[in-house]
Amino acid sequence: MRQEQTNPFLRVYYRLVDHYGPQGWWPGESGIEMIVGAVLTQNTNWSNVEKAIQNLKDAGMLSFSSLQDLSVDLLAEYIRPSGYYNIKARRLKNLLQMIDDEYEGEPTFLFEDSLETSRENLLAVKGVGPETADSILLYAAGKPIFVIDTYTHRVFSRHGLVAEESDYHTLQQEFMDSLPEDAPLFNEYHALIVAVAKEFCAKKKARCSECPLQGVEE
DNA sequence: CACCAGGCAAGTA
DNA sequence: TACTTGCATGGT
């Protein structure tokens, strides 16, 4: 069944699962932790994000109300290791403010809202784009929405499985039209794409001959 | 030393 | 509309 899979998106998935196994991404201890992580990881290595989140934890600041009470400048100091700390502090503040305005300051209310409405509200926040919004919806809220990132585009276009010029929305539609609507599957798949991209599909020096996906396009 | 990282918005022509 | 640039720390 796995071998003779005719759907290329599932074929890739099974290859990656067989090669890497479960990734267990973002087992964040709280909703707010994953929301913060989603913003901090914008164009940034996750290890730097972990340092920033640890700073907030150590200071006892990793809760909605504590973060709301912090000044933008002090928040920026805590998250400094994640890079772009001034702009990310502003973006986090914008996001917290939206949750305050629309959901009484309860991230769980955001998660309980409909996918369409919560996504619109997230995208309306300055500093929250499609990947950040969808990461929050998938990883923190457990909603069935596929997260696209630069790795997804790079891996799939290099294998000729999507058009080079596909934008975020087009790519997302192709994945979601080709896969069962299943949040744990979307979660695992996205993490697996990041894993294979990091190891074999780096921007400059790709190691395609060793990639577990070689020949998957046929 | 150069290069990269789980983006996004603003500026330019 | 279609590029380009700023944002910034830390690991390889």
Side-chain angles (χ1 to χ4, degrees), chain A residues 20 150-151 154-155 158-159 193-209 211:
Chain A
Y20 291 104
T150 54
Y151 289 144
R154 191 185 304 162
V155 170
R158 280 194 181 173
H159 285 275
I193 290 169
V194 173
V196 74
K198 278 181 163 171
E199 190 171 4
F200 299 105
C201 212
K203 193 178 275 180
K204 296 287 185 185
K205 39 181 178 181
R207 298 159 49 203
C208 297
S209 63
C211 175

Side-chain angles (χ1 to χ4, degrees), chain A residues 169-188:
Chain A
H169 185 68
T170 306
L171 263 174
Q172 184 176 53
Q173 283 299 114
E174 291 197 61
F175 273 86
M176 295 186 67
D177 288 347
S178 306
L179 299 170
E181 187 175 83
D182 184 276
L185 168 70
F186 292 173
N187 179 327
E188 196 60 26

